[in-house]
C-alpha cells in the first residue's frame, strides 16, 4: 500500500527532506547545508546549482535511510524559501547568475523610487504587498538589467525566471513543467491575488516580461512526475508531484490552521506570523501583508502575514560571525545561565526591518553594553529580541482582527528553545503551543501532496499532530518590552545604506 509521503523542504541555509507516514509520523530525514554568499553589505546570494544539488541529495539521503521502497511512496510535496529569485536558460536549464535571496536588499533604492512616485497603493490593491526589496519582482528586474545580455535574451524567449519552487519543479520534471503555486506567486509583487494571475500593468512597471514567468497553479494537484535521470533520484523516477507551497503557508497548513482566526508563528531563519482570514482577503491597516494561503479545488484561502527578516539567523550570527557559541543550542544554555539580560537589547535588523515597520535602511543594533556584559547576556538578548519582534507582529495582527489572540501555535527550528517559548508566552500574555513534531512546514507540503494523491478527500480528514508542550504566561514583561522599543528606534535611525 502506498502509505508514505515525501516532503522536500528547501530552506535558506539548508535543504531538507522528510518521509512521513500518512498518519504524520516521521520515518526518516535528510539534510544538506549549502553556502551563503554576501558579495556586498546587505546583499545575499545562493548558487542555484548548489541549492538544487543539496535538495536532491537530501531527498536521496532520506529515502535511503528510511528503508522504504520507492514504489510505496504515494507522492512528493515541495515547500521552499519564498521570494528568492532565479533566472535560467530555457534550452539547457543552466542558471544565469546567482539567485538573489529573499533577505537581499540590493533593490531597496528602486522600491523607494516606486513609493516616491506614488505606486504604493496601486501595488497594494492588486498584490496585498508593499513596495519592498523583500519581494521577487524587483529581483527579477535587477537580474535582467545587470547580467550582460540577459534582457535581450529574455525578450527572445530564451530565458525563464521563477522562485525556488519553480526552479525545483522544473528540474525534478526534467524541464517539462514551468509552474509556481499561488502561495509563491503572491510574493513576487507581480501577482493579482484577486484574479489569481500575473498583472500586466505591474509587469510593465517592474519591466519583467510575462513570457519569463511560470504558470500559476493551485497548491495541490497534478504537478508532473519526477523525470528519469534526475541526479540522485534515479530510483524515484515516475513519482507523482502533487503538492507545493511556500514554506510559511505550508507551515500554516501543517499546523492545521484551516479555520479563520487561527494563526501560527514559524521561528526559522526569519520569523513569520500567519493568520487564516478565510476566503476573503483582508487589507491590513497596521503594516501587515495580505497574501494567498492556498488554493484548493477552486477555493482560495487568504492570510494576513507579518515577517521578521532575522530570527534564527541572528543565532547563526553569534555562532558563525562572532564565534560566541559552537552550536545553536548553546545559545539557549547560555541564556539560562544569567537571571536577566543585564540591560542588553539586540535588534537584529541586519537586512532591514520587515512588518510592521518596513524600514529597508534600518540596521542591527545592540544597546546597553557594559564592562560586565558576557556572552550569556548577548545570547539572552538575541533570543529575547526574536520574541520582541514577534510581539510587534502579533500586536499588529490583533489590531487588524479587533481582538486579542487566544493562543499562538509555534514551529520551526528555534521553537525547540524552551527559554524562547516561555519568554514569548510571558511577553504575549497567552499560551504558546508547540507540537511534538515541529516539522510542520514539511508536513504541510506532505499534506498538500496527500490531498493531490487522493489519500484524503479534504483538509479536515488530515491527521493532526498530538502531544507537544504548552507554555503558559508566568511573568509580565512590560518594562523590558519598553526598553527594547527604545533600542528599536535606534536601529531605525541607523541608515548605513543610503536610499
Amino acid at each position: 500500500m502506498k502509505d508514505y509521503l515525501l516532503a522536500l523542504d528547501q530552506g535558506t541555509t539548508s535543504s531538507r527532506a522528510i518521509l512521513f507516514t500518512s498518519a504524520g509520523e516521521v520515518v526518516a530525514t535528510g539534510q544538506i547545508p549549502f553556502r551563503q554568499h554576501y558579495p556586498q553589505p546587505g546583499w545575499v546570494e545562493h548558487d542555484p546549482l548548489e541549492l538544487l544539488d543539496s535538495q536532491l541529495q537530501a531527498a536521496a539521503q532520506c529515502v535511503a535511510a528510511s528503508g522504504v521502497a520507492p514504489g510505496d511512496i504515494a507522492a512528493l510535496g515541495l515547500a521552499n524559501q519564498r521570494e528568492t529569485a532565479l533566472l535560467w536558460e530555457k534550452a539547457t536549464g543552466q542558471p544565469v547568475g546567482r539567485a538573489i535571496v529573499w533577505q537581499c536588499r540590493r533593490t531597496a533604492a528602486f522600491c523607494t523610487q516606486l513609493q516616491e512616485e506614488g505606486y504604493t497603493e496601486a501595488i497594494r490593491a492588486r498584490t496585498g504587498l508593499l513596495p519592498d526589496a523583500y519581494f521577487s519582482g524587483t529581483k527579477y528586474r535587477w537580474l535582467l538589467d545587470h547580467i550582460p545580455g540577459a534582457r535581450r535574451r529574455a525578450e527572445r524567449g530564451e530565458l525563464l525566471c521563477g522562485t525556488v519552487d519553480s526552479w525545483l519543479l522544473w528540474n525534478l520534471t526534467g524541464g517539462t513543467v514551468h509552474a509556481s503555486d499561488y502561495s509563491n506567486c503572491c510574493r513576487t509583487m507581480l501577482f493579482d491575488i484577486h484574479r489569481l494571475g500575473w498583472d500586466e500593468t505591474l509587469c510593465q512597471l517592474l519591466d519583467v516580461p510575462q513570457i519569463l514567468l511560470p504558470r500559476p497553479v493551485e497548491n495541490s494537484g497534478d504537478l508532473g512526475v519526477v523525470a528519469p535521470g534526475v541526479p540522485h533520484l534515479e530510483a524515484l523516477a515516475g513519482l507523482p508531484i502533487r503538492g507545493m507551497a511556500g514554506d510559511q503557508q505550508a507551515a500554516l497548513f501543517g499546523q492545521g490552521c484551516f479555520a479563520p482566526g487561527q494563526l501560527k508563528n514559524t521561528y526559522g531563519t526569519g520569523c513569520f506570523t500567519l493568520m487564516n482570514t478565510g476566503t476573503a482577503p483582508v487589507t491590513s491597516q497596521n503594516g501587515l501583508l495580505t497574501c494567498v494561503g492556498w488554493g484548493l479545488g477552486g477555493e482560495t484561502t487568504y492570510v494576513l502575514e507579518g515577517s521578521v527578516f532575522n530570527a534564527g539567523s541572528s543565532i547563526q550570527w553569534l555562532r558563525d560571525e562572532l564565534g560566541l557559541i559552537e552550536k545553536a543550542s548553546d545559545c539557549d544554555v547560555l541564556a539560562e545561565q544569567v537571571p536577566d539580560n543585564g540591560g542588553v537589547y539586540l535588534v537584529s535588523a541586519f537586512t532591514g526591518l520587515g512588518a510592521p515597520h518596513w524600514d529597508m535602511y534600518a540596521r542591527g543594533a545592540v544597546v546597553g553594553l557594559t564592562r560586565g556584559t558576557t556572552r550569556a547576556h548577548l545570547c539572552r538578548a538575541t533570543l529575547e529580541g526574536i520574541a520582541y519582534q514577534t510581539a510587534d507582529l502579533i500586536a499588529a495582527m490583533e489590531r487588524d482582527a479587533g481582538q486579542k489572540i487566544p493562543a499562538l501555535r509555534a514551529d520551526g527550528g528555534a521553537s525547540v528553545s524552551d527559554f524562547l517559548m516561555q519568554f514569548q508566552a510571558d511577553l504575549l500574555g497567552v499560551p504558546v503551543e508547540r507540537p511534538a513534531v515541529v516539522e510542520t512546514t514539511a508536513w504541510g507540503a506532505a499534506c498538500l501532496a496527500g490531498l493531490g494523491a487522493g489519500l484524503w478527500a479534504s483538509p479536515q480528514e488530515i491527521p493532526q499532530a498530538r502531544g507537544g508542550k504548552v507554555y503558559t504566561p508566568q511573568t509580565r514583561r512590560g518594562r523590558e518590552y519598553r526598553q527594547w522599543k527604545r533600542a528599536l528606534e535606534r536601529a531605525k535611525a541607523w541608515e548605513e545604506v543610503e536610499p
Side-chain angles (χ1 to χ4, degrees):
M1 178 181 176
K2 294 190 175 184
D3 193 40
Y4 299 93
L5 294 164
L6 178 61
L8 307 187
D9 182 4
Q10 202 299 301
T12 307
T13 58
S14 70
S15 296
R16 308 174 67 247
I18 302 180
L19 189 69
F20 293 94
T21 67
S22 59
E25 299 166 339
V26 174
V27 179
T29 65
Q31 182 169 5
I32 305 290
F34 56 90
R35 290 174 295 176
Q36 311 293 300
H37 299 274
Y38 308 101
Q40 294 186 35
W43 290 29
V44 191
E45 297 177 345
H46 290 157
D47 180 331
L49 292 179
E50 186 178 0
L51 182 154
L52 172 65
D53 189 63
S54 68
Q55 184 61 84
L56 299 179
Q57 283 195 58
Q61 184 185 86
C62 172
V63 174
S66 73
V68 172
D72 291 334
I73 302 174
L76 181 151
L78 300 173
N80 61 282
Q81 54 165 310
R82 304 172 303 169
E83 300 95 20
T84 295
L86 303 98
L87 190 65
W88 66 93
E89 294 179 345
K90 186 175 183 180
T92 67
Q94 287 298 304
V96 180
R98 286 179 177 166
I100 302 179
V101 180
W102 59 272
Q103 296 167 313
C104 188
R105 314 308 289 169
R106 73 184 64 183
T107 63
F110 177 63
C111 293
T112 299
Q113 179 184 330
L114 292 174
Q115 295 169 359
E116 292 174 346
E117 292 178 356
Y119 289 109
T120 298
E121 287 310 312
I123 291 172
R124 184 175 184 176
R126 291 174 168 86
T127 69
L129 310 178
L130 300 170
D132 193 271
Y134 181 19
F135 306 113
S136 314
T138 60
K139 295 177 171 65
Y140 296 144
R141 180 182 187 271
W142 193 96
L143 290 168
L144 292 172
D145 286 343
H146 289 81
I147 296 175
R151 184 166 293 281
R152 184 172 62 254
R153 296 185 66 193
E155 291 169 350
R156 292 201 301 259
E158 297 176 8
L159 303 181
L160 298 173
C161 71
T163 41
V164 171
D165 60 318
S166 53
W167 169 243
L168 292 179
L169 187 62
W170 172 266
N171 284 280
L172 286 169
T173 61
T176 63
V177 181
H178 185 219
S180 180
D181 70 87
Y182 294 162
S183 69
N184 278 290
C185 290
C186 76
R187 306 292 293 187
T188 62
M189 221 164 76
L190 298 169
F191 188 74
D192 189 321
I193 61 173
H194 310 283
R195 296 189 301 104
L196 302 177
W198 301 116
D199 187 275
E200 183 176 353
T201 300
L202 293 178
C203 287
Q204 291 175 353
L205 177 64
L206 271 60
D207 207 8
V208 177
Q210 279 188 256
I211 192 173
L212 270 72
L213 296 166
R215 172 172 54 92
V217 296
E218 289 194 339
N219 295 81
S220 184
D222 186 353
L223 298 171
V225 300
V226 176
V230 174
H232 309 295
L233 299 188
E234 292 85 357
L236 296 181
L239 177 64
I241 304 170
R242 294 293 181 264
M244 188 162 69
D247 51 8
Q248 303 313 316
Q249 287 93 331
L252 187 71
F253 201 85
Q255 284 272 32
C257 295
F258 304 138
Q262 292 182 315
L263 76 161
K264 67 87 194 176
N265 188 49
T266 295
Y267 297 82
T269 300
C271 269
F272 303 88
T273 307
L274 274 70
M275 175 187 283
N276 184 328
T277 62
T279 57
V282 174
T283 301
S284 173
Q285 304 301 317
N286 294 281
L288 301 177
L289 305 175
T290 305
C291 302
V292 176
W294 49 79
L296 296 174
E299 183 173 278
T300 306
T301 295
Y302 292 90
V303 299
L304 280 174
E305 174 172 343
S307 307
V308 173
F309 294 154
N310 291 277
S313 58
S314 60
I315 300 173
Q316 293 171 334
W317 173 68
L318 294 177
R319 182 192 66 194
D320 300 339
E321 275 71 48
L322 298 190
L324 296 182
I325 56 176
E326 292 185 2
K327 55 186 184 296
S329 58
D330 292 342
C331 189
D332 212 39
V333 174
L334 285 165
E336 297 198 61
Q337 290 180 1
V338 288
D340 54 45
N341 61 18
V344 178
Y345 293 86
L346 169 69
V347 182
S348 58
F350 303 127
T351 54
L353 288 167
H357 310 285
W358 296 111
D359 188 334
M360 294 183 286
Y361 304 104
R363 286 296 177 264
V366 183
V367 302
L369 296 175
T370 68
R371 186 60 183 82
T373 299
T374 67
R375 62 178 183 148
H377 292 114
L378 281 170
C379 286
R380 184 171 180 127
T382 298
L383 293 174
E384 289 180 356
I386 295 171
Y388 288 132
Q389 291 194 73
T390 298
D392 269 3
L393 296 180
I394 299 295
M397 208 158 275
E398 288 178 332
R399 289 193 295 271
D400 278 333
Q403 60 183 20
K404 189 172 178 63
I405 65 167
L408 176 67
R409 297 183 182 184
D411 57 61
S415 71
V416 300
S417 167
D418 288 326
F419 172 83
L420 175 57
M421 294 296 96
Q422 184 59 60
F423 192 88
Q424 190 74 82
D426 292 346
L427 197 58
L428 296 176
V430 300
V432 173
E433 303 168 355
R434 184 184 65 195
V437 178
V438 297
E439 305 294 354
T440 54
T441 296
W443 175 236
C447 291
L448 290 166
L451 283 171
L455 294 187
W456 308 292
S458 71
Q460 286 67 36
E461 295 182 7
I462 297 173
Q464 294 300 304
R466 288 175 170 76
K469 188 170 182 179
V470 178
Y471 298 83
T472 56
Q474 296 178 359
T475 307
R476 298 187 67 177
R477 301 285 182 180
R479 179 180 177 276
E480 295 99 319
Y481 194 16
R482 290 190 293 274
Q483 289 287 103
W484 181 81
K485 284 287 193 180
R486 285 194 277 272
L488 177 69
E489 292 309 311
R490 296 192 191 186
K492 291 167 71 174
W494 178 258
E495 296 193 356
E496 184 180 69
V497 180
E498 292 294 332

